[in-house]
Amino acid sequence: MQRHRLRKGLINGIALLCLVNTAFGLDPTRRISQYVHDKWGEDKGFIGGRIYAIRQSADGYLWIGTERGLVRFDGSNFLLIQRPLPDSPPISPVRGLVTDASGNLWIRLEGPRMLLYHDRKFEDPYTRFDLQDITFTATASDDKGRVILSGLGDRTFRYEGGRLETIVSAEQNPGIVISLAATRDGSIWLGTQDNGLFRLSQRHISTVAQELKDSKINALLPADTGGLWIGTDNGIHLWEGGVLATLNLTSSLKQLQILAMARDRDLNIWIGTNHGILRITPSGAVSLDLLNPKPGFEVTAIYEDLDGDIWFGGSRGVERLRNGMFTTYSTSDGLPSTGIGSVYPDSTGRIWFAPLSGGLYWMKGGQVGHITLDGLEHDVVYSVSGSDGEICVGRQHGGLTVLAGKGDSFTAHTYTQADGLAQNSVYSVHRERDGTIWAGTVSAGVSRLNGGKFTNYSDSSGLPSNAVNSIVDGFDGTTWLATPSGLASFSNRHWTIYTASDSLPSSIVRTIFEDTKHVVWVVTPGGLAYISSGKIKVPPRLPEALREQIFGVAEDGMGSLWFTTSDHVLRVNRDGLLSGLLSDTDVQSYGIYDGLQGVEGVSRDRTVVADPEGRIWISLKSGLSMADPIVISRNSIPVAVRIESMSAGGNQVNAQNPIQIPSGIQSITLNYDNMNLAARERIRFRYKLDGSDQGWSDIVASRQVVYKNLGPGTYLFRIVASNSVGLWNGPETSVPFLIEPAFWQTWWFRVTCLAGCCLTILAIYHLRIHQLTKRLNVGFQERLAERTRIAQELHDTLLQGVLSASLQLDVAEDQLPEDSPTKPLLKRVLQLMRTVTEEGRNTLRGLRTTESGNQSLETAFSRLRQEFPLDDKTDFRVIVDSVTRPLRPLIRDEVYRIGREALLNAFMHAQANRIEVEVEYASRHLKVLVRDDGRGIDPQVLHTGREGHWGLAGIRERSERIGANLRLRSRIGAGTEIDLTVPGTIAFEKGSNGPISQWFRWLSRERLETPKHDKAKRVHK
């Protein structure tokens, strides 16, 4: 059976996803309470009831076995599958779920039923394996993906290679098996309902752990050391080295009812109990912070999904623990309060923080310490800074305190007004790299401590205000101060002031920050500005969230800026912010979903800072949070895309290979979704339709695309997704499909139409030629009749009159005596009249002559020598090129008269030694060429003609009437050439242009060729 390419793409995508995911799971350094904890109950759409099992299939869906049946979860919606097989009754509660090496999902139902889910289809394995009516009570899989199934009071099977193998017979069955496990030594462990634990090794069953005899074995889990974790109604046990190991557990933990167990990819053991979930790390540390002493918090199913998240559930619905962008520390982690002010990370990995309620604290390795020197525990700390092992503290009442020390032992030196400090209320403190300490006071300006001496500056010394909000030192040694009346810079003992008149959005400057590219960012109530290359600029197209009140700004190790506002925690791409080309994934807003407990910032100095490792520490009113963008990006899960459905014209497309869509469909709709279950609201997509789109689409959050009015052809829909941190590192999913052409879009229809158009054009052309030929024939007949009439009238009138006058003159000449002086004159007149009479006869002969249909042009031209006697010195010849073809009679007559007129001019006026006529019967034209080597014609006469002479004009008129091309070439003393070309469709009789006649003429021409391959020519003299 062919697989659908769509499904193949999904399997390949999830396979790649699995390979990538094997390295990363939940951060083992966090407490359970520091993971993002998602819950779905009936209030959020979960409709399953009590949960018995959880698994994820290869297509990314999460399957939940519940008391109401099988529930599918796509990360957003729950779907209760009540009738997976159309011809079968509704299914009963789902008691177990397990996946095998082939990607099959085995669904164990209550009673003698089971389902198999693979390739997005359900089937009944009972019919495939002939299992009859066996009721299975436990399922599991080993490290090779082989499924183990145990039947009620019957045999135990193992599925491998498409077949079931019996591994425990009915006679060996130890009782009702409710839990199964396979360890790496090849042993299969069977936990019974009331008979304890059994081991199957080399097809032999033996009782294990007499201490557990008659115990109910609820859950079994292979240990990483090769042993076995055993969950019972009376706590958890570890079988190792052939004995039950002694576990260093609290007495309360030993009394918990163990209902489910799972091991994650970091080797943590997750345990579901009747009072919640707990974790045992590989080192043996136990996290109990999600246990609840109240009843109703049982966890009966645990599963680690492909993203490394932990899913668990019981009677309250389904829950999930996952890594968020942030690790948040609160009072449960040792903080004195949730509201945190200034934060400073030192070079030793210690995080110093000042709670809003007062005091100075530090945190390192999960431990929290408190400084009690010089009354710090009773004072409010406004600002913390430092370097080179010194910690500088700005206090509300106690002035400036400098801490020094190693490890957990510190010494303190406090400076007050008595020591030269401008004021004991220090709001902002900053220690520069050279050891200089700046202390900005609340209302008395700023003090500079260098060499043990203070130098004070106020508004009278050049400061814009005596209140200082923030202090930083730049890479070039410039010290920047933020004040309510402007931005001040101190360099070379000189103050420079920047206000709104210098392009700042506002003169009130709340905080400043210099990034790694030496750009100074200035935060004002009027918006964000920056100073680069000495110029103040405002970022174009500032995100809407950054138009709120900004409290803090810092830069992480990946080139992004972090901001806290009155209602947002933002991560913004710095380069995009500077250029104004921010995409949808360049601005990330974080909240509760990402591990924060609130998003409201704190109006203190240095509330957003980066530690030496590139991590971002943010103090909020809800606690202290830390984000590690470098690690999260490195460990970020690639997102694969699943094609949910495809419809054409509103009708669902059936799965086939390839997908074929009938013609006439106006729209094609593809619905898709990410296969990962976490961070759905951050997932973005871009797609491309090969065969239609020129490039990738814009980045979109929608999960549907519609294509309209696609033409017939082959297409490939390609789509990729970005993950929660904006990386496009996921596999590409593709769906090929074919739109069939309508009959008028097929090649044969187009060829037929083209052929029909060509035939129509040819028919119209022939009809037009026929009409023109008929019109020419009519004109020729009319002109012939007119010439005949004119010839008759000339013969009967003018010529007869001239002959009568000539006879009378001849009689008169005979009667004159020989010596009469008049006689010579009459003889000359008689001679002239004879000449006129002869010329008249020749003209009349030309008017009335019509060559017979059997006489060719070359024959008619040859006979002109007899009509016009030539001097013996003149060489006259007619040359025929190619085989003679039958001509239309009227065309022949016109061509003959044109040629006759040309020869008449040559005979009578050219005085030529050589006169030639060349006739060419070509496939596409008839050509007659008359040339001589006589005295030529004057170019002016050739162009306009000679007055009273109509020979050249008549030649031109005749050629135009028959649609011929005429060229006249002549020069004085160089002879004359008259070239007449008539199209073959006009000149030749019908049928002489066909392929057969053309082939015959070609064959005749080939047979007449000379050895030098010159054309054969017949010469008439």
Side-chain angles (χ1 to χ4, degrees):
M1 180 180 65
Q2 291 181 328
R3 288 186 176 183
H4 188 206
R5 286 280 299 276
L6 178 150
R7 295 172 179 169
K8 185 177 180 180
L10 292 179
I11 298 301
N12 292 341
I14 201 66
L16 175 61
L17 198 63
C18 293
L19 291 176
V20 176
N21 287 353
T22 54
F24 313 113
L26 293 184
D27 183 357
T29 64
R30 302 187 187 187
R31 301 177 65 230
I32 294 181
S33 59
Q34 290 177 330
Y35 296 124
V36 179
H37 189 180
D38 304 310
K39 301 177 182 180
W40 292 270
E42 291 185 359
D43 57 331
K44 291 188 177 181
F46 181 70
I47 51 178
R50 188 179 183 87
I51 295 174
Y52 301 120
I54 304 173
R55 280 294 184 276
Q56 189 176 13
S57 57
D59 52 14
Y61 290 115
L62 190 76
W63 299 90
I64 307 171
T66 73
E67 62 182 348
R68 297 181 183 175
L70 184 63
V71 176
R72 191 189 74 181
F73 183 52
D74 61 5
S76 179
N77 300 306
F78 293 94
L79 177 65
L80 179 62
I81 311 290
Q82 295 180 317
R83 197 184 298 268
L85 298 176
D87 299 330
S88 299
I91 61 175
S92 57
V94 175
R95 292 289 183 174
L97 297 169
V98 66
T99 54
D100 62 22
S102 300
N104 299 306
L105 177 67
W106 295 75
I107 304 167
R108 179 170 64 89
L109 304 178
E110 189 174 75
R113 292 191 64 189
M114 183 173 283
L115 292 174
L116 204 59
Y117 176 81
H118 178 66
D119 209 9
R120 304 185 76 170
K121 292 181 179 179
F122 290 95
E123 60 178 274
D124 186 356
Y126 277 74
T127 58
R128 181 197 288 189
F129 301 114
D130 191 23
L131 294 176
Q132 300 176 357
D133 293 331
I134 299 177
T135 297
F136 290 101
T137 57
T139 53
S141 62
D142 61 15
D143 56 352
K144 296 182 180 180
R146 298 176 296 188
V147 173
I148 304 168
L149 307 98
S150 183
L152 179 63
D154 205 331
R155 297 167 291 173
T156 298
F157 304 90
R158 179 166 56 199
Y159 174 77
E160 183 179 11
R163 63 186 184 87
L164 282 178
E165 173 192 7
T166 301
I167 57 176
V168 177
S169 63
E171 295 77 13
Q172 296 176 303
N173 199 300
I176 300 176
V177 177
I178 60 174
S179 58
L180 288 167
T183 51
R184 60 189 181 191
D185 62 356
S187 299
I188 296 177
W189 303 79
L190 299 90
T192 65
Q193 183 172 343
D194 49 20
N195 293 336
L197 180 64
F198 293 82
R199 177 183 181 184
L200 172 66
S201 178
Q202 298 179 351
R203 296 188 176 273
H204 174 72
I205 287 185
S206 58
T207 304
V208 179
Q210 292 298 321
E211 300 91 334
L212 301 178
K213 185 180 181 181
D214 300 331
S215 296
K216 181 181 180 183
I217 311 299
N218 296 319
L220 297 173
L221 179 69
D224 183 62
T225 58
L228 183 72
W229 291 95
I230 306 166
T232 71
D233 281 349
N234 299 308
I236 188 169
H237 307 273
L238 176 62
W239 175 267
E240 197 166 41
V243 296
L244 286 178
T246 301
L247 299 177
N248 185 21
L249 302 176
T250 63
S251 58
S252 60
L253 183 59
K254 293 179 180 179
Q255 301 303 317
L256 288 175
Q257 186 179 8
I258 309 301
L259 304 176
M261 292 187 294
R263 184 176 65 251
D264 66 20
R265 59 199 66 181
D266 289 312
L267 306 182
N268 297 294
I269 305 300
W270 295 86
I271 302 170
T273 74
N274 57 334
H275 289 286
I277 192 170
L278 60 91
R279 181 187 66 186
I280 302 177
T281 66
S283 63
V286 181
S287 296
L288 306 173
D289 46 334
L290 278 194
L291 291 181
N292 194 313
K294 297 179 181 180
F297 285 85
E298 65 270 18
V299 174
T300 54
I302 306 176
Y303 175 69
E304 183 189 32
D305 70 10
L306 298 173
D307 293 337
D309 300 338
I310 296 297
W311 295 79
F312 59 96
S315 59
R316 297 182 304 146
V318 62
E319 303 178 45
R320 175 177 62 186
L321 299 176
R322 58 181 175 84
N323 289 325
M325 173 62 80
F326 296 90
T327 301
T328 297
Y329 301 88
S330 61
T331 54
S332 61
D333 301 294
L335 271 63
S337 63
T338 56
I340 306 298
S342 184
V343 183
Y344 170 71
D346 66 19
S347 59
T348 67
R350 185 180 278 110
I351 305 299
W352 297 84
F353 60 94
L356 297 177
S357 58
L360 178 64
Y361 292 78
W362 58 265
M363 181 172 60
K364 184 177 181 180
Q367 300 296 319
V368 176
H370 186 202
I371 301 298
T372 59
L373 299 174
D374 284 3
L376 281 171
E377 71 275 21
H378 304 299
D379 204 351
V380 174
V381 174
Y382 281 144
S383 179
V384 184
S385 178
S387 66
D388 296 334
E390 286 189 348
I391 304 299
C392 303
V393 181
R395 302 166 61 171
Q396 185 180 40
H397 302 292
L400 171 67
T401 298
V402 179
L403 299 175
K406 294 182 179 179
D408 295 339
S409 177
F410 299 96
T411 60
H413 187 176
T414 300
Y415 301 90
T416 64
Q417 285 180 271
D419 301 299
L421 186 67
Q423 190 181 55
N424 286 341
S425 184
V426 178
Y427 187 79
S428 176
V429 64
H430 178 72
R431 187 185 190 279
E432 295 184 344
R433 290 180 290 272
D434 62 358
T436 300
I437 299 175
W438 291 80
T441 68
V442 173
S443 59
V446 64
S447 296
R448 182 173 182 265
L449 177 62
N450 192 323
K453 295 182 180 181
F454 283 102
T455 303
N456 297 325
Y457 302 94
S458 63
D459 54 2
S460 61
S461 306
L463 271 180
S465 172
N466 285 332
V468 178
N469 295 326
S470 181
I471 307 172
V472 298
D473 61 321
F475 77 102
D476 58 356
T478 301
T479 302
W480 298 87
L481 288 82
T483 77
S485 300
L487 176 66
S489 68
F490 182 77
S491 179
N492 297 324
R493 298 185 179 275
H494 175 72
W495 291 99
T496 303
I497 308 303
Y498 303 90
T499 63
S501 61
D502 299 298
S503 301
L504 281 178
S506 171
S507 294
I508 302 175
V509 181
R510 288 176 173 162
T511 188
I512 47 179
F513 170 75
E514 185 182 59
D515 65 24
T516 55
K517 290 188 176 181
H518 312 309
V519 176
V520 177
W521 295 90
V522 184
V523 175
T524 75
L528 186 66
Y530 65 93
I531 301 176
S532 179
S533 301
K535 296 182 179 179
I536 297 177
K537 302 177 182 178
V538 176
R541 301 180 182 178
L542 197 65
E544 187 64 32
L546 286 181
R547 301 182 188 277
E548 301 175 1
Q549 182 179 2
I550 299 174
F551 293 129
V553 56
E555 181 184 13
D556 62 22
M558 299 183 66
S560 293
L561 296 178
W562 292 74
F563 298 90
T564 57
T565 73
S566 57
D567 198 29
H568 284 89
V569 174
L570 299 172
R571 183 187 184 191
V572 183
N573 181 278
R574 177 189 54 202
D575 295 336
L577 185 60
L578 290 171
S579 64
L581 301 176
L582 288 170
S583 67
D584 191 29
T585 57
D586 287 335
V587 180
Q588 298 285 343
S589 179
Y590 299 102
I592 305 298
Y593 186 83
D594 303 287
L596 295 174
Q597 295 183 3
V599 294
E600 186 178 359
V602 178
S603 180
R604 285 285 173 89
D605 187 31
R606 290 188 184 85
T607 57
V608 183
V609 296
D611 66 15
E613 297 180 7
R615 299 177 297 183
I616 296 295
W617 292 85
I618 301 176
S619 59
L620 301 165
K621 289 188 176 180
S622 56
L624 178 63
S625 298
M626 183 272 291
D628 194 345
I630 297 177
V631 172
I632 290 176
S633 297
R634 184 171 62 244
N635 298 352
S636 60
I637 304 300
V639 175
V641 182
R642 173 182 61 238
I643 306 298
E644 296 280 5
S645 63
M646 182 176 178
S647 61
N651 298 319
Q652 195 76 15
V653 175
N654 295 325
Q656 53 186 331
N657 186 18
I659 298 175
Q660 294 183 347
I661 298 174
S663 62
I665 298 298
Q666 298 297 317
S667 64
I668 294 176
T669 302
L670 293 108
N671 296 295
Y672 50 86
D673 204 348
N674 55 292
M675 296 169 66
N676 304 62
L677 298 172
R680 286 175 51 85
E681 73 283 353
R682 298 195 188 282
I683 303 300
R684 296 295 182 267
F685 304 91
R686 58 186 179 190
Y687 51 82
K688 179 182 180 183
L689 183 63
D690 290 347
S692 175
D693 296 338
Q694 297 298 318
W696 289 90
S697 69
D698 294 334
I699 297 174
V700 298
S702 63
R703 287 167 166 77
Q704 183 185 84
V705 59
V706 179
Y707 287 97
K708 294 186 176 181
N709 301 318
L710 292 177
T714 301
Y715 298 90
L716 180 67
F717 179 73
R718 301 159 57 194
I719 185 168
V720 293
S722 66
N723 59 16
S724 59
V725 295
L727 296 179
W728 298 89
N729 58 350
E732 179 182 294
T733 300
S734 61
V735 180
F737 61 93
L738 171 67
I739 298 180
E740 298 176 343
F743 75 91
W744 63 83
Q745 295 172 321
T746 57
W747 66 267
W748 57 265
F749 180 81
R750 293 175 178 174
V751 170
T752 302
C753 291
L754 180 61
C757 292
C758 293
L759 291 175
T760 302
I761 293 172
L762 184 61
I764 294 173
Y765 174 75
H766 280 289
L767 177 62
R768 181 59 178 167
I769 292 298
H770 176 72
Q771 292 175 345
L772 291 176
T773 304
K774 184 176 181 181
R775 188 179 302 170
L776 286 173
N777 288 336
V778 172
F780 292 156
Q781 294 295 337
E782 292 176 350
R783 287 196 296 274
L784 181 59
E786 183 65 16
R787 289 200 304 268
T788 302
R789 185 186 64 78
I790 293 173
Q792 290 175 348
E793 290 182 357
L794 290 176
H795 180 271
D796 295 341
T797 56
L798 180 60
L799 188 57
Q800 292 298 328
V802 172
L803 288 174
S804 298
S806 177
L807 289 176
Q808 294 296 326
L809 288 175
D810 189 39
V811 172
E813 189 270 334
D814 288 339
Q815 293 178 358
L816 289 175
E818 292 294 330
D819 56 354
S820 174
T822 311
K823 196 172 184 72
L825 178 60
L826 289 177
K827 286 183 178 181
R828 286 195 296 273
V829 172
L830 286 172
Q831 182 63 35
L832 180 60
M833 295 187 69
R834 290 191 190 98
T835 301
V836 171
T837 302
E838 185 63 26
E839 290 178 353
R841 286 196 180 96
N842 290 336
T843 302
L844 292 176
R845 190 180 299 113
L847 286 172
R848 300 186 59 125
T849 301
T850 301
E851 299 296 326
S852 63
N854 295 327
Q855 192 175 37
S856 63
L857 279 176
E858 55 269 26
T859 302
F861 289 144
S862 299
R863 290 183 178 179
L864 287 177
R865 186 181 184 91
Q866 301 172 3
E867 184 177 346
F868 303 103
L870 298 176
D871 191 342
D872 292 337
K873 295 180 180 180
T874 302
D875 182 15
F876 172 65
R877 66 177 59 193
V878 178
I879 302 171
V880 182
D881 189 359
S882 73
V883 181
T884 303
R885 297 172 61 185
L887 301 174
R888 299 179 187 270
L890 294 178
I891 299 298
R892 184 190 64 242
D893 288 350
E894 290 295 319
V895 172
Y896 168 72
R897 296 192 182 281
I898 293 172
R900 184 177 182 279
E901 184 65 34
L903 287 173
L904 179 61
N905 289 334
F907 290 159
M908 298 182 64
H909 307 296
Q911 300 177 6
N913 294 322
R914 183 182 182 86
I915 301 174
E916 287 184 352
V917 178
E918 184 173 348
V919 181
E920 181 185 3
Y921 296 93
S923 61
R924 296 176 180 247
H925 63 264
L926 169 68
K927 184 175 183 180
V928 176
L929 179 64
V930 179
R931 55 176 172 259
D932 63 63
D933 60 356
R935 62 182 184 179
I937 304 175
D938 183 86
Q940 183 65 28
V941 175
L942 185 67
H943 181 68
T944 61
R946 182 178 300 168
E947 186 177 357
H949 293 265
W950 310 104
L952 293 177
I955 288 176
R956 288 192 177 94
E957 292 172 357
R958 290 179 186 275
S959 64
E960 290 176 0
R961 283 198 299 266
I962 64 174
N965 182 25
L966 177 68
R967 290 187 297 175
L968 302 176
R969 293 184 292 270
S970 181
R971 288 188 303 169
I972 299 297
T976 304
E977 184 175 283
I978 299 177
D979 185 354
L980 178 72
T981 303
V982 186
T985 54
I986 296 176
F988 302 127
E989 288 280 6
K990 292 182 179 180
S992 64
N993 281 330
I996 297 178
S997 66
Q998 290 182 9
W999 176 82
F1000 177 77
R1001 287 193 299 274
W1002 172 82
L1003 182 61
S1004 301
R1005 187 184 304 119
E1006 289 294 317
R1007 294 180 62 185
L1008 292 172
E1009 284 186 352
T1010 63
K1012 294 183 179 181
H1013 300 284
D1014 293 333
K1015 290 183 178 180
K1017 296 183 179 180
R1018 291 176 286 122
V1019 180
H1020 297 256
K1021 292 188 176 180

